[in-house]
Amino acid sequence: MIINQKIKNNSHRNGFTLIELLVAMSLFIIIITIAVGSFISAMRTQRILVALMAVNDNASLAIEQMAREIRVGTGFPVSGANCSTLNNLTFTNYLGDQIRYWAQNGSLLKSESSNNNVPVPITASNVNIKRMNFCVLNRVDANNIPIIPARVTILLEVAVSSTGAVGLQGVATDLQTTISARNSE
């Protein structure tokens, strides 16, 4: 008889009550929801960072291309003692071609006299040039002979274009570099 009573008591203790099951499922759902939300947030942040890195890489490559050409260029605008701030830069490259750089409609453009001055974008479509200035420091003496080689500072504000700007509205990066021309004209 005692054995049968112990078996009956043990059979009532096996399993979970409905309340225990509901509490466990609720905790599981809450933990999964938090984990999925964190994962989605991390994926969104990663996508934003990849887009910003691509824009910065492309803009840096364009600045490096301009710097190589400016470094061996001549015929820069004369500024006097102060830096002349320009929204475009025109000079002669080492081949004797007239080169012009400027920003228009969010693109960085280049034209060459050897290419009939046809504007060619040198930044990718995901790059939005918000602001671009050139600061040229180039002094000459009374005989128009350069006293110092030209120094050109490129100031660039870039952002992700509107086509890839999910979550990036208002995010822009400033880039700046200064190049000294090797040729003293």
Side-chain angles (χ1 to χ4, degrees):
M1 190 89 156
I2 295 176
I3 295 174
N4 284 341
Q5 192 175 15
K6 281 187 179 180
I7 292 173
K8 281 185 179 180
N9 286 342
N10 281 343
S11 66
H12 286 292
R13 292 186 183 166
N14 290 342
F16 298 104
T17 66
L18 184 59
I19 303 232
E20 290 172 332
L21 189 59
L22 287 174
V23 169
M25 286 178 53
S26 298
L27 286 173
F28 177 76
I29 289 172
I30 289 170
I31 291 171
I32 291 298
T33 303
I34 291 170
V36 168
S38 297
F39 179 73
I40 289 171
S41 176
M43 292 299 293
R44 185 177 301 127
T45 302
Q46 188 260 351
R47 197 173 329 128
I48 289 170
L49 289 175
V50 166
L52 284 173
M53 286 174 31
V55 166
N56 282 339
D57 287 347
N58 190 270
S60 294
L61 183 64
I63 286 176
E64 183 59 32
Q65 178 184 343
M66 289 189 294
R68 276 187 261 126
E69 204 156 29
I70 290 169
R71 202 170 287 122
V72 294
T74 58
F76 296 96
V78 176
S79 65
N82 295 324
C83 184
S84 297
T85 302
L86 310 166
N87 60 4
N88 67 70
L89 180 67
T90 303
F91 62 96
T92 305
N93 71 1
Y94 73 99
L95 296 172
D97 293 332
Q98 191 79 17
I99 304 295
R100 180 175 175 235
Y101 288 109
W102 74 101
Q104 183 178 345
N105 297 329
S107 293
L108 177 56
L109 302 173
K110 173 186 177 182
S111 68
E112 298 181 43
S113 59
S114 64
N115 194 19
N116 297 323
N117 291 321
V118 175
V120 176
I122 61 171
T123 52
S125 61
N126 65 334
V127 178
N128 180 18
I129 306 295
K130 296 182 77 132
R131 181 177 48 89
M132 180 175 179
N133 291 321
F134 297 95
C135 183
V136 179
L137 182 62
N138 186 13
R139 288 189 283 170
V140 295
D141 63 12
N143 297 323
N144 210 21
I145 297 173
I147 297 172
I148 60 169
R151 277 193 352 211
V152 178
T153 301
I154 302 170
L155 305 156
L156 198 62
E157 182 180 1
V158 297
V160 178
S161 68
S162 60
T163 57
V166 176
L168 294 174
Q169 290 76 16
V171 178
T173 303
D174 292 322
L175 302 171
Q176 176 178 332
T177 190
T178 300
I179 307 110
S180 293
R182 292 183 181 156
N183 298 331
S184 61
E185 315 218 17

